[in-house]
Structure formats: structure tokens, C-alpha cells
Amino acid sequence: MSLLPSRFIYVCLHFLVFYFQLQESQQSSADFRFYIENHTRNPDDLSRKQIRIYQLYSRTTGKHVQILGKKINANGDDGGKYALLVVETETFGSHIRIKGKESGYYICMKKNGKIIGKLNGRNQECVFIEEFLENNYTALVSAKYKGWYLGFNRKGKPKKGSRTTQTQQEVHFMKRQPKGKVDPLEEFRFTTVTKRTRRARRLKPNPKTN
């Protein structure tokens, strides 16, 4: 008869332990869902990763993308104030927003594929995805209109996104620091090594040997 109370107590203790474990598991799941919902629902406020300032060199024109306001072209001079771009990068993937440092307008793509500048860059039409190509250039594809790229013709005028493909030179860009300005943290990223620079490095005397 004395075994019944002890078994009853044993069963009750197991039940309580199971109950608390279940509560803790549900709380953790709820907290995790809350974290994911907040980070995916508000990417602008919670998942901003970094902000950089640089230029986008156009392979087609040999000049730089510049944001004048609503009008955007690829005829900017190296170091020109309208060619300085503020690039906002988000945590999830390579999603970026590109804003003119001087004008304050963002590069956006309308539903007809036309490239324009907008003051409010929070719209999905103003988000682009970086694609790093094998030729060391970068292409920017619309996050909203799949397969439509930011591109400029030989005169520097923007092309409609519906008329672009990744293989076209018109959509190939290179990140560059402004002329005469080198960020020590970005020196390796933005410096292009050529045959001339390799030769100069070989000819440069080594101070340790003197």
C-alpha cells in the first residue's frame, strides 16, 4: 500500500517536468517566429547592413553613372559631384538601393522598364540585386522585375529593362573610388591590377636589401 503514494508522486513530478519543458519550447518557438517576422517584414529598418559611397563606371560609355534628379545617365566625369553614389546594402542577399549623394534621388525602375530617379527609395522598384560576373564587372538586376537590368546605351541614356540581358555590355559596371580619393579599407577592392602595375611592382626596390 505504501508504494501507491510514491508512484503517484513520481508520476506527478514527471508530468510537471514535461509541462514546463513544453511551455519553454513553445515560448522559444514563439520568440523565434517573432524574430523572423520582424526581420523579414521590416527589411529597411532592421536588416540594413552597410552604406558605402563610390562611383559606377559604365563599360559602354567609359564614364560614370550620375543621378541628376529624375534624370539619370552614364556620362558623369570621374569625381563629378553627381557621380558620387550612396549605396545602401541590406543584410539579406545583395539587395541594394542607389542614391545620388548630391541630388538625393534614388535609381528606380518603373513597370514599363524605364529608369527614373525618385526621392523616396523605399519602394521595391528602387531595389537592385548585385550580380558579380566572370569578367570582373557587376550587373544590377531589378529585385521586382526579374531579368530586367540597369543599363545605358553608348550615348549614356538609360535602356528599358525589358530590352536588357546580362550578357550585354550596356549592363556591365565597375565600382570605383572617386579620382584622387582612396579609402584604405577599400583599396584592394577597387584597385585594378594591370600589366603596367605588375611591372612597376617588380622594378620597385626592396628597402630591406639596401
Side-chain angles (χ1 to χ4, degrees), residues 173-187:
F173 303 97
M174 188 174 291
K175 302 174 186 178
R176 280 185 172 180
Q177 287 287 349
K179 187 176 182 180
K181 297 181 180 180
V182 179
D183 183 350
L185 296 177
E186 295 298 317
E187 185 173 5

Side-chain angles (χ1 to χ4, degrees), residues 93-154:
S94 299
H95 293 65
I96 64 173
R97 291 178 171 86
I98 305 173
K99 180 176 69 174
K101 188 175 186 296
E102 179 70 19
S103 67
Y105 279 72
Y106 288 84
I107 299 178
C108 304
M109 182 181 291
K110 298 175 67 176
K111 62 181 179 181
N112 61 358
K114 186 178 180 180
I115 300 296
I116 63 168
K118 289 184 178 181
L119 275 175
N120 185 356
R122 296 175 66 86
N123 193 291
Q124 191 72 1
E125 290 184 340
C126 306
V127 179
F128 293 87
I129 302 173
E130 290 182 310
E131 293 183 353
F132 301 100
L133 310 179
E134 293 181 356
N135 58 7
N136 295 324
Y137 282 91
T138 299
L140 299 169
V141 63
S142 171
K144 184 171 184 179
Y145 306 111
K146 304 300 181 183
W148 290 10
Y149 289 81
L150 174 68
F152 299 87
N153 62 24
R154 294 185 181 277

Side-chain angles (χ1 to χ4, degrees), residues 16-182:
L16 288 173
V17 170
F18 176 76
Y19 174 77
F20 285 118
Q21 287 179 342
L22 181 62
Q23 289 292 103
E24 183 179 356
S25 175
Q26 289 177 345
Q27 183 64 33
S28 299
S29 299
D31 291 342
F32 181 73
R33 286 197 302 270
F34 178 77
Y35 174 85
I36 293 298
E37 287 175 0
N38 276 275
H39 279 68
T40 54
R41 187 175 299 170
N42 303 303
D44 294 321
D45 300 327
L46 299 178
S47 63
R48 183 64 51 78
K49 183 177 181 180
Q50 59 188 0
I51 295 177
R52 297 184 182 275
I53 298 177
Y54 55 75
Q55 300 178 130
L56 276 180
Y57 172 84
S58 170
R59 185 181 182 184
T60 307
T61 65
K63 292 194 173 184
H64 300 82
V65 176
Q66 58 179 1
I67 306 174
L68 305 174
K70 290 185 178 181
K71 293 184 178 181
I72 300 169
N73 62 49
N75 295 321
D77 294 326
D78 188 4
K81 63 180 182 179
Y82 291 104
L84 291 177
L85 308 177
V86 179
V87 182
E88 303 168 354
T89 307
E90 295 178 3
T91 301
F92 295 101
S94 299
H95 293 65
I96 64 173
R97 291 178 171 86
I98 305 173
K99 180 176 69 174
K101 188 175 186 296
E102 179 70 19
S103 67
Y105 279 72
Y106 288 84
I107 299 178
C108 304
M109 182 181 291
K110 298 175 67 176
K111 62 181 179 181
N112 61 358
K114 186 178 180 180
I115 300 296
I116 63 168
K118 289 184 178 181
L119 275 175
N120 185 356
R122 296 175 66 86
N123 193 291
Q124 191 72 1
E125 290 184 340
C126 306
V127 179
F128 293 87
I129 302 173
E130 290 182 310
E131 293 183 353
F132 301 100
L133 310 179
E134 293 181 356
N135 58 7
N136 295 324
Y137 282 91
T138 299
L140 299 169
V141 63
S142 171
K144 184 171 184 179
Y145 306 111
K146 304 300 181 183
W148 290 10
Y149 289 81
L150 174 68
F152 299 87
N153 62 24
R154 294 185 181 277
K155 294 183 178 180
K157 295 182 178 181
K159 294 189 64 174
K160 282 191 173 182
S162 56
R163 298 178 182 177
T164 61
T165 62
Q166 189 194 72
T167 57
Q168 295 174 346
Q169 291 188 11
E170 288 91 336
V171 307
H172 294 178
F173 303 97
M174 188 174 291
K175 302 174 186 178
R176 280 185 172 180
Q177 287 287 349
K179 187 176 182 180
K181 297 181 180 180
V182 179

